[in-house]
Amino acid sequence: MGIQDKGDVELIRYAYVRTKDRNKGIGSLLLQELMQDTKKPILIGTWKPADWAIRFYEKHGFRLVEDAEKNRLLKKTLGHSQSAN
């Protein structure tokens, strides 16, 4: 798990905990550590079908954005011209 400075925001990158090690608080500790190291807004991306990941981030105060907002953020932060799911 890491954080990448993208100017106005920080991106959480490569946020994975091995399946056998999930539900032990490891991801929460890692996320808290990253969150305390920045004063900028944080963006996190995951696949739409990964509902367990979405629930994890929502539990930690993040919110799911609508597709139009997602596409705007991707274009602005990553330079993508197409949306990613």
Side-chain angles (χ1 to χ4, degrees):
M1 192 178 279
I3 198 158
Q4 181 180 17
D5 187 335
K6 293 302 280 183
D8 295 341
V9 299
E10 300 273 3
L11 298 178
I12 299 285
R13 306 293 294 232
Y14 309 107
Y16 305 100
V17 174
R18 283 190 279 187
T19 303
K20 71 178 188 115
D21 294 323
R22 288 187 188 147
N23 298 312
K24 297 178 182 176
I26 296 168
S28 296
L29 290 172
L30 290 169
L31 185 59
Q32 289 170 6
E33 185 72 24
L34 292 173
M35 290 170 59
Q36 77 180 10
D37 290 340
T38 185
K39 302 289 184 232
K40 296 179 182 182
I42 296 174
L43 295 178
I44 300 173
T46 191
W47 299 103
K48 275 187 179 181
D51 57 341
W52 59 269
I54 294 168
R55 284 192 308 273
F56 171 82
Y57 291 118
E58 288 177 332
K59 180 177 92 173
H60 288 88
F62 292 88
R63 66 178 175 81
L64 193 60
V65 297
E66 298 295 328
D67 283 342
E69 177 72 355
K70 174 197 70 173
N71 293 338
R72 185 190 71 76
L73 290 167
L74 284 172
K75 186 174 182 180
K76 179 180 178 185
T77 354
L78 303 177
H80 290 188
S81 59
Q82 298 182 19
S83 68
N85 290 329

